[in-house]
């Protein structure tokens, strides 16, 4: 059976990764909806850890826990308490491996979007308990405005082929370094006719012969 330590050491290394890129919406949700649930200190640690993410791959360099001690001015036992609160509320996942010392990966999880938050039975009830009915209703009104009723409207948006025409036969160069593209049968965000879906499948078949 593997042995797991429960106490952190300043020399223990960690890497921070994330499954999202922060936006103004995620910042608003964190500070307005999550702060009443876990407190400003937990949100501060979450945002502190996010600063280590570099580049588009959302992966930090290797860091040791002395950074927590020196820059956050908190002992590691208290950091563990905060870490567990972030994990419990769904904002953090922690992975550990033991070699010469403990190595950790802290994965920052995106806060749920407002509509998901207020439809989540645990998060919404927890928020209601923390802030009371008047403030809860105020927050819900701020984040969950009713969507426009489109009954009676007709979708007149243009399709890809209406504007750009039929794609030409693929050339070998288009697949070099982009092999993942031909694994997709569906366009990633472009509204297309069924006929162009068949062309995309044809492209995929061509790529296997190139």
């Amino acid at each position: 059976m593997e042995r797991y330590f429960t106490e952190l050491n300043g020399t223990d290394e960690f890497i921070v990764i994330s499954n999202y890129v922060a936006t103004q919406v995620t910042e608003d949700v964190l500070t307005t909806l999550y702060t009443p649930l876990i407190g400003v200190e937990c949100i501060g640690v979450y945002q502190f850890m996010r600063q280590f993410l570099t580049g588009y791959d959302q992966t930090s360099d290797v860091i040791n826990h002395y950074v927590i001690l020196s820059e956050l001015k908190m002992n590691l036992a208290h950091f563990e308490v905060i870490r567990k609160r972030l994990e419990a509320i769904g904002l953090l996942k922690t992975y550990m491996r033991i070699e010469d010392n403990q190595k950790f990966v802290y994965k920052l999880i995106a806060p749920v979007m407002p509509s998901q938050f207020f439809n989540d039975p645990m998060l919404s009830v927890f928020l209601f308990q923390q802030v009371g009915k008047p403030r809860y209703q105020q927050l819900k009104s701020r984040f969950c405005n009713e969507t426009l009723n489109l009954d009676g409207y007709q979708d007149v948006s243009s399709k890809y082929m209406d504007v750009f025409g039929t794609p030409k036969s693929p050339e070998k160069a288009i697949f070099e370094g982009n092999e993942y593209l031909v694994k997709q049968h569906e366009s990633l965000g472009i509204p297309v006719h069924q006929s162009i879906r068949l062309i995309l499948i044809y492209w995929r078949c061509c790529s296997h012969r190139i």
Side-chain angles (χ1 to χ4, degrees), residues 170-182:
E171 298 179 2
K172 181 178 180 180
I174 196 172
F175 298 108
E176 293 178 353
N178 295 294
E179 291 79 4
Y180 72 96
L181 289 175
V182 298

Side-chain angles (χ1 to χ4, degrees), residues 143-195:
F143 284 101
C144 298
N145 294 325
E146 292 186 8
T147 57
L148 179 65
N149 187 347
L150 294 179
D151 289 347
Y153 287 82
Q154 181 180 359
D155 185 354
V156 295
S157 306
S158 298
K159 301 295 190 295
Y160 179 93
M161 290 179 66
D162 296 335
V163 178
F164 299 106
T166 304
K168 297 179 181 179
S169 298
E171 298 179 2
K172 181 178 180 180
I174 196 172
F175 298 108
E176 293 178 353
N178 295 294
E179 291 79 4
Y180 72 96
L181 289 175
V182 298
K183 296 178 182 178
Q184 301 287 340
H185 284 193
E186 297 291 334
S187 171
L188 300 179
I190 298 177
V192 295
H193 297 296
Q194 181 62 32
S195 56

Side-chain angles (χ1 to χ4, degrees), residues 16-62:
V16 180
I17 62 176
S18 179
N19 72 342
Y20 79 108
V21 176
T23 66
Q24 186 60 53
V25 173
T26 58
E27 288 298 291
D28 286 347
V29 171
L30 272 175
T31 56
T32 308
L33 300 182
Y34 279 86
T35 298
L37 306 184
I38 56 177
V40 67
E41 190 175 35
C42 291
I43 299 299
V45 170
Y46 180 92
Q47 292 174 327
F48 175 83
M49 294 176 70
R50 197 168 58 202
Q51 71 168 303
F52 298 116
L53 297 173
T54 56
Y56 290 105
D57 61 353
Q58 295 290 286
T59 303
S60 77
D61 296 328
V62 177

Side-chain angles (χ1 to χ4, degrees), residues 58-75:
Q58 295 290 286
T59 303
S60 77
D61 296 328
V62 177
I63 312 156
N64 63 46
H65 283 80
Y66 279 122
V67 172
I68 305 295
L69 290 165
S70 62
E71 297 188 21
L72 290 182
K73 305 297 186 289
M74 68 172 59
N75 61 54

